Amino acid sequence: IVTTRPAKYNEAPMLAQLVKEGKLPPIAQRLPEEPLVYKPVHEIGKYGGTWRAGFTGPADGQNIDRIVHDHLIYWDTAVTKVVPHIAKGWDISDGGRTFTFYLRKGMKWSDGAPFTADDIMFWYEDMYLNEELNPIKAAWMSAGGKPGVVEKVDDYTVRFRFEVPYYTFLETVASLEVAGHFTRGGEAMGLFAPKHYMKQFHPKYTDRAELERKAKEAKFDNWVNYFKFKNDPKRNPECPTTAPWRVVSPINTPQLVLERNPYYFAVDTAGNQLPYIDRIVMTLAENLEVLNLRAIAGEYDFQVRH
């Protein structure tokens, strides 16, 4: 990760065509004011192509989570220190009791809606503190056995406060235990959620009886399970994401298909909006033997899991 912003931005041909057709805003309007800038390990990449891989079914979410992570903060490539990701930076104060995160002004969800502190506060106030969605509170949200609180400072600043010093908080937020919306949304966790989309499925913002009726219509026992389904980008392609690719064919089908997120917040040092690869196609394998035979046959390009 580097701090110098490129002088100009470029985009994938498939997105440039959509801009030309008037179906997408220009690249400069889709990126945050301060995008995340990655320095490639070897060289600037080329746009295009499909990444072929295999998966074993709806429970195999980790197969794609390992590729499409969207943590608030994350680890450098050597896994030696925590670095900015969705948050562009942070401060630690009050003797390790207070952590202030600064978000990227102008960052957007995959549907073009703004990503702001309200998306973190929606998760905290309306999801995490909701006794139906989260009856058992996460251990990582407490220090010394005392729960922390989250506060909105302004549209692009949030503060996590604890009663005692919490020296491992940053490393924990960067870990899989906390992860992000793409990985943990289906559990009503993940530190943030698309408030503009998800509030229609929450009884605080809509009629509970109507919500329960819709849940039953959709074959869910209650609004809680319906909400968790709607908040899971792997199962609900309509759910906005901040990840580099967005799901277009869900994980409970024979092919898990993802396409590039036109609003992804990262670029390379040449100003090319990431990711380079257009699509990821994971084909369902009946078992691990079939998956490995397909790999040997050259049907996969790169396989992380199994």
Side-chain angles (χ1 to χ4, degrees):
I1 292 171
V2 298
T3 54
T4 306
R5 271 186 278 171
K8 67 183 185 71
Y9 298 120
N10 313 298
E11 62 196 335
M14 67 179 285
L15 298 184
Q17 182 60 35
L18 292 174
V19 173
K20 190 177 177 182
E21 294 169 5
K23 295 176 182 175
L24 262 187
I27 178 71
Q29 294 176 25
R30 302 198 312 268
L31 287 168
E33 288 183 10
E34 298 176 71
L36 178 66
V37 183
Y38 280 116
K39 181 182 179 182
V41 175
H42 297 297
E43 60 188 17
I44 298 297
K46 294 181 174 66
Y47 281 125
T50 297
W51 175 350
R52 303 168 304 160
F55 79 115
T56 59
D60 197 13
Q62 264 296 297
N63 215 330
I64 198 67
D65 291 339
R66 294 181 185 192
I67 302 164
V68 189
H69 66 82
D70 59 347
H71 298 56
L72 188 66
I73 53 177
Y74 203 51
W75 293 90
D76 66 350
T77 49
V79 200
T80 55
K81 64 178 180 178
V82 176
V83 294
H85 198 62
I86 284 175
K88 67 179 183 179
W90 59 83
D91 287 328
I92 306 172
S93 56
D94 195 23
R97 294 175 176 84
T98 301
F99 300 81
T100 305
F101 293 97
Y102 303 98
L103 306 179
R104 300 179 188 275
K105 190 174 182 181
M107 181 177 154
K108 296 175 175 65
W109 290 91
S110 57
D111 61 357
F115 180 94
T116 70
D118 289 340
D119 296 308
I120 294 176
M121 296 311 299
F122 175 75
W123 169 78
Y124 176 65
E125 293 176 343
D126 299 325
M127 293 169 57
Y128 182 71
L129 293 181
N130 184 286
E131 291 301 322
E132 293 176 272
L133 285 170
N134 275 295
I136 300 170
K137 305 308 177 191
W140 62 262
M141 266 296 285
S142 292
K146 298 176 180 178
V149 296
V150 187
E151 302 165 343
K152 176 182 175 180
V153 179
D154 58 40
D155 284 348
Y156 295 99
T157 313
V158 291
R159 187 174 289 142
F160 287 72
R161 284 196 304 105
F162 299 92
E163 292 185 35
V164 299
Y166 192 167
Y167 298 115
T168 59
F169 183 65
L170 290 181
E171 288 80 1
T172 304
V173 170
S175 75
L176 183 62
E177 185 178 3
V178 177
H181 173 248
F182 192 92
T183 299
R184 299 285 185 212
E187 305 161 23
M189 293 296 287
L191 215 56
F192 55 91
K195 180 180 181 179
H196 69 284
Y197 173 74
M198 286 306 302
K199 65 182 183 181
Q200 65 182 308
F201 309 111
H202 196 292
K204 178 178 171 181
Y205 301 92
T206 190
D207 180 69
R208 179 182 280 263
E210 177 69 8
L211 192 55
E212 291 287 5
R213 186 187 65 77
K214 286 182 178 177
K216 297 286 194 301
E217 271 184 9
K219 309 247 182 331
F220 290 94
D221 291 343
N222 49 51
W223 80 268
V224 169
N225 290 333
Y226 184 51
F227 182 96
K228 289 179 178 179
F229 167 78
K230 288 293 187 181
N231 195 47
D232 185 351
K234 290 190 285 288
R235 292 189 294 158
N236 174 24
E238 292 178 2
C239 186
T241 183
T242 58
W245 293 273
R246 58 189 178 87
V247 171
V248 292
S249 177
I251 198 167
N252 55 356
T253 63
Q255 275 200 330
L256 171 61
V257 181
L258 298 93
E259 289 184 352
R260 64 169 63 254
N261 172 4
Y263 293 91
Y264 189 53
F265 58 91
V267 299
D268 65 18
T269 45
N272 299 305
Q273 185 187 27
L274 299 172
Y276 294 127
I277 297 172
D278 288 337
R279 303 169 86 235
I280 299 173
V281 176
M282 287 193 167
T283 304
L284 182 66
E286 293 85 344
N287 54 54
L288 296 187
E289 185 181 9
V290 169
L291 191 149
N292 281 280
L293 286 171
R294 286 177 180 167
I296 292 165
E299 293 180 27
Y300 301 148
D301 300 299
F302 180 71
Q303 182 74 23
V304 178
R305 192 162 148 91
H306 310 309

